[in-house]
Amino acid sequence: MATNPGLFSEWPWKRLGSFKYVVLAPWVAHGVQQVATKGWREADLGYLVILPSMMLRGLHNQAWITVSRLQNARGKRQIVDRGIEFEQIDRERNWDDQIILSAILFFLGALHLPGAQNLPLWRTDGAVLIALLHAGPVELIYYWFHRALHHHFLYTRYHSHHHASIVTEPITSVIHPFAELVAYELLFSIPMIACALTGTASIMTFELYMLYIDFMNNMGHCNFELVPSWLFTWFPPLKYLMYTPSFHSLHHTQFRTNYSLFMPFYDYIYNTMDKSSDTLHEKSIESKEEAVDVVHLTHLTSLQSIYHMRPGFAEFASKPYASKWYMRIMWPLSWLSMVLTWTYGSWFTAERNVMKKLRIQSWAIPRYNFHYGLNWEKEALNNLIVKAICEADKKGAKVVSLGLLNQIPRSQICVIISLPQQAQSLNGSGELYLQKYPKLGLKLVDGTSLAAAVVANSIPQGTDQVVLSGNISKVACAVAAALCKKNIKVIITNKQDYHFLQPKIPEDAADNLLLSKTGIAKVWIIGEGADATEQLRAPKGTRFIPYSQFPPRMARKDGCTYSTTPAMSVPKTLQNVHSCENWLPRWVMSAWRVAGIVHALEGWDEHECGDMVLDMDKVWSAALLHGFRPVAEA
């Protein structure tokens, strides 16, 4: 809220939460009644299109959010080179409130405003009238009202809520206290009320006017410059009639300049235009895509995960991933997105962070979990990953870390994703890429050493035995070896896994690896394959510690606890963190992702892929030195 919230700052339906759309139910029911009693031909078309129109406005806003976040993740044409945090995401979560308010006002106008019933589709005179009234009274009144909002009394009570976002996103444009946004809605209604009262109103005129307002609002707050310079060279007066994202960005960073709504004309007249407006515009247009030091290569998981990624829905991305019922009913859109991503021939930049001048990006392979289980997709997937690695090398990246299923070794892919035994490996934990490109300038890191160190250091003090259950992976081998060296008994319940692990344990600690059918230890280290039947063998009160990238299904609720998948809390020096990595909590990153960052910070000149595992103690100490912490200590 504002620094000192004034009257009517809170939205009246705030306490309804996700059920706030029920406030529109009476008008929607009235529209259904019109159709039922009068039929489609006799019902008021202008009234009936209000709800679909508001839904399209929501899609329009979401499209701007996605495009803006994708562009800002690349760092190209960036205006304000700073990150945003979870606080801003939470503050801007209610961006759809203004759509609900607009819908209510449109419904009331269509029912009670003279001349607003049974509107024609189009009237040219009404369009001209709206354009003139917007350029004149609306822009002028907004300019002076906006300046008044910057007076201490109104600013602290209302407008400071909007200006809390120094780095803007498209939806920042509609983040205001209730009373302030009501004032804006009444201001924008002046041209439409005038059209209705003069008998020149039409459905398309109103729709286009709202589209114009939304388009300009979103564009002005997207924090990347997209208006080309040649546009103003070709038609010089346009610079007085249309603002740019860089023009309005200066208002959020300087506060006392560039007050205009969409037309800078009034800032020129009243001498409030920021003198650096043109310079910033040129600088933003010319800025090239940002270089990168560390690339974390990930991919989509379930069909609904595309909504959860940072360029997707901000509300979902700022919380740990969980499939909601209302996400499942969107399955037609989910399947369409799957087809589109399947046909997309390259990775995309999903997130950008900065830490100690280290430029970090997350690149997503546009494939889902199930694609990695298709044997005939193996070559295409490897080509996508190779293309991303080569592009990272070309951009001068120091490290590429492989996340999720982008690194599965030969021994695991058949069991992790339930493939037939004849299934081949994807890339041998990145080893195949080194064989193909031995002269890579960057270092490939699969993160095994840090992931294993996180698991090993999650064992409670005083523990003398643990059970290792699930499909044996490279991380599981490293964990078992590390615990045996610490003189902790590692119990294996599967005979085949026991014989597989035996040669990988140091000779002086081999006696600590045990084969037993009865796992009575109160600490279980589990991975994929440790299903409900396996977990039910553990005693009551067991602590389950996953070693896999994907969380196991939680089958026990009788006092048992489950840790997160191997991960670490990130330091505050890591900037632009405002989305959750898959199912992990806020300010937490997977150990595989952290490993790549630590590798680059330390400047280590070695790969970690294939059978290679770095010194776990060295990697763990380096992570702690740079501010990363165990999740339990966050």
Side-chain angles (χ1 to χ4, degrees), residues 37-148:
T37 56
K38 298 181 180 179
W40 286 101
R41 293 186 176 181
E42 298 298 324
D44 187 344
L45 180 61
Y47 187 90
L48 298 181
V49 300
I50 292 174
L51 185 62
S53 172
M54 295 301 114
M55 294 172 67
L56 287 175
R57 288 185 66 189
L59 291 175
H60 180 205
N61 289 345
Q62 180 57 48
W64 271 104
I65 295 168
T66 299
V67 170
S68 176
R69 288 189 161 196
L70 285 170
Q71 184 71 12
N72 283 312
R74 296 167 60 197
K76 191 175 182 180
R77 295 189 174 187
Q78 195 86 2
I79 300 171
V80 179
D81 192 17
R82 288 173 54 182
I84 62 177
E85 308 296 344
F86 283 110
E87 290 79 4
Q88 180 170 339
I89 302 300
D90 292 339
R91 187 173 58 252
E92 298 180 348
R93 193 178 303 280
N94 67 325
W95 62 269
D96 53 342
D97 280 347
Q98 57 93 23
I99 296 180
I100 297 175
L101 178 60
S102 293
I104 292 173
L105 295 176
F106 269 109
F107 280 127
L108 290 174
L111 287 173
H112 305 295
L113 182 66
Q117 296 77 40
N118 300 307
L119 300 178
L121 280 176
W122 175 256
R123 284 198 58 151
T124 303
D125 51 358
V128 172
L129 180 60
I130 281 184
L132 292 174
L133 289 175
H134 176 85
V138 171
E139 289 277 350
L140 179 62
I141 294 172
Y142 177 90
Y143 175 85
W144 286 106
F145 178 57
H146 194 182
R147 288 191 65 168

Side-chain angles (χ1 to χ4, degrees), residues 244-367:
T244 65
S246 55
F247 180 93
H248 189 69
S249 179
L250 283 168
H251 177 70
H252 277 261
T253 56
Q254 304 303 319
F255 298 104
R256 298 293 182 181
T257 58
N258 296 7
Y259 292 101
S260 293
L261 177 55
F262 306 140
M263 299 179 176
F265 176 72
Y266 293 97
D267 279 303
Y268 281 96
I269 289 179
Y270 298 110
N271 198 31
T272 53
M273 189 194 75
D274 196 293
K275 294 179 181 179
S276 63
S277 297
D278 293 339
T279 305
L280 181 61
H281 179 258
E282 293 293 335
K283 180 182 176 182
S284 302
I285 283 289
E286 293 173 0
S287 66
K288 298 179 180 179
E289 191 168 338
E290 187 180 71
V292 60
D293 298 309
V294 179
V295 170
H296 179 64
L297 207 57
T298 184
H299 62 76
L300 300 162
T301 54
S302 69
L303 280 182
Q304 289 82 26
S305 66
I306 196 165
Y307 309 125
H308 170 82
M309 296 194 76
R310 186 180 178 275
F313 295 158
E315 181 176 357
F316 294 164
S318 65
K319 298 177 181 177
Y321 172 70
S323 182
K324 305 291 186 181
W325 65 268
Y326 46 81
M327 293 171 66
R328 296 193 185 102
I329 65 176
M330 296 167 64
W331 67 265
L333 184 59
S334 303
W335 277 95
L336 176 62
S337 68
M338 182 200 67
V339 173
L340 292 175
T341 54
W342 204 342
T343 57
Y344 186 64
S346 184
W347 48 268
F348 62 91
T349 306
E351 189 170 352
R352 179 172 63 98
N353 308 102
V354 177
M355 182 177 178
K356 300 178 181 178
K357 296 185 179 180
L358 201 69
R359 295 158 297 187
I360 307 162
Q361 292 183 4
S362 289
W363 294 359
I365 301 295
R367 295 295 185 273

Side-chain angles (χ1 to χ4, degrees), residues 209-508:
Y209 184 47
M210 294 309 299
L211 176 64
Y212 166 76
I213 290 172
D214 287 344
F215 180 90
M216 297 299 288
N217 251 336
N218 285 314
M219 182 191 73
H221 291 81
C222 62
N223 195 37
F224 72 93
E225 191 53 75
L226 73 164
V227 181
S229 299
W230 61 260
L231 202 60
F232 300 119
T233 304
W234 174 69
F235 187 60
L238 193 62
K239 69 182 298 184
Y240 303 104
L241 303 176
M242 184 184 80
Y243 75 166
T244 65
S246 55
F247 180 93
H248 189 69
S249 179
L250 283 168
H251 177 70
H252 277 261
T253 56
Q254 304 303 319
F255 298 104
R256 298 293 182 181
T257 58
N258 296 7
Y259 292 101
S260 293
L261 177 55
F262 306 140
M263 299 179 176
F265 176 72
Y266 293 97
D267 279 303
Y268 281 96
I269 289 179
Y270 298 110
N271 198 31
T272 53
M273 189 194 75
D274 196 293
K275 294 179 181 179
S276 63
S277 297
D278 293 339
T279 305
L280 181 61
H281 179 258
E282 293 293 335
K283 180 182 176 182
S284 302
I285 283 289
E286 293 173 0
S287 66
K288 298 179 180 179
E289 191 168 338
E290 187 180 71
V292 60
D293 298 309
V294 179
V295 170
H296 179 64
L297 207 57
T298 184
H299 62 76
L300 300 162
T301 54
S302 69
L303 280 182
Q304 289 82 26
S305 66
I306 196 165
Y307 309 125
H308 170 82
M309 296 194 76
R310 186 180 178 275
F313 295 158
E315 181 176 357
F316 294 164
S318 65
K319 298 177 181 177
Y321 172 70
S323 182
K324 305 291 186 181
W325 65 268
Y326 46 81
M327 293 171 66
R328 296 193 185 102
I329 65 176
M330 296 167 64
W331 67 265
L333 184 59
S334 303
W335 277 95
L336 176 62
S337 68
M338 182 200 67
V339 173
L340 292 175
T341 54
W342 204 342
T343 57
Y344 186 64
S346 184
W347 48 268
F348 62 91
T349 306
E351 189 170 352
R352 179 172 63 98
N353 308 102
V354 177
M355 182 177 178
K356 300 178 181 178
K357 296 185 179 180
L358 201 69
R359 295 158 297 187
I360 307 162
Q361 292 183 4
S362 289
W363 294 359
I365 301 295
R367 295 295 185 273
Y368 297 83
N369 279 359
F370 78 90
H371 285 114
Y372 289 76
L374 303 174
N375 198 40
W376 51 272
E377 270 281 303
K378 184 180 70 172
E379 184 178 354
L381 281 167
N382 268 321
N383 287 337
L384 281 169
I385 297 171
V386 164
K387 184 177 179 181
I389 291 173
C390 290
E391 184 64 22
D393 193 43
K394 182 180 176 182
K395 290 177 179 290
K398 302 172 184 176
V399 172
V400 169
S401 55
L402 301 173
L404 299 181
L405 299 178
N406 289 326
Q407 58 167 17
I408 294 180
R410 181 174 287 99
S411 61
Q412 296 170 66
I413 194 166
C414 59
V415 285
I416 285 183
I417 41 186
S418 304
L419 291 179
Q421 289 297 319
Q422 66 268 27
Q424 300 298 310
S425 75
L426 184 64
N427 56 57
S429 290
E431 185 177 18
L432 298 183
Y433 304 134
L434 290 185
Q435 294 174 3
K436 190 171 183 179
Y437 297 98
K439 295 184 179 180
L440 277 174
L442 53 75
K443 302 304 173 186
L444 281 180
V445 176
D446 68 9
T448 296
S449 54
L450 185 57
V454 169
V455 175
N457 284 279
S458 299
I459 307 299
Q461 290 288 334
T463 301
D464 57 3
Q465 61 177 338
V466 301
V467 173
L468 181 65
S469 177
N471 304 321
I472 300 302
S473 67
K474 184 181 175 184
V475 173
C477 292
V479 171
L483 294 181
C484 286
K485 284 193 289 185
K486 290 183 178 181
N487 208 30
I488 296 176
K489 306 294 183 184
V490 178
I491 301 169
I492 309 296
T493 59
N494 182 285
K495 187 175 182 180
Q496 184 179 355
D497 291 343
Y498 173 76
H499 289 300
F500 177 79
L501 275 173
Q502 257 188 328
K504 302 182 184 300
I505 306 300
E507 289 185 11
D508 59 348

Side-chain angles (χ1 to χ4, degrees), residues 19-32:
F19 297 98
K20 59 188 176 184
Y21 287 96
V22 299
V23 300
L24 298 177
W27 291 284
V28 174
H30 184 255
V32 172

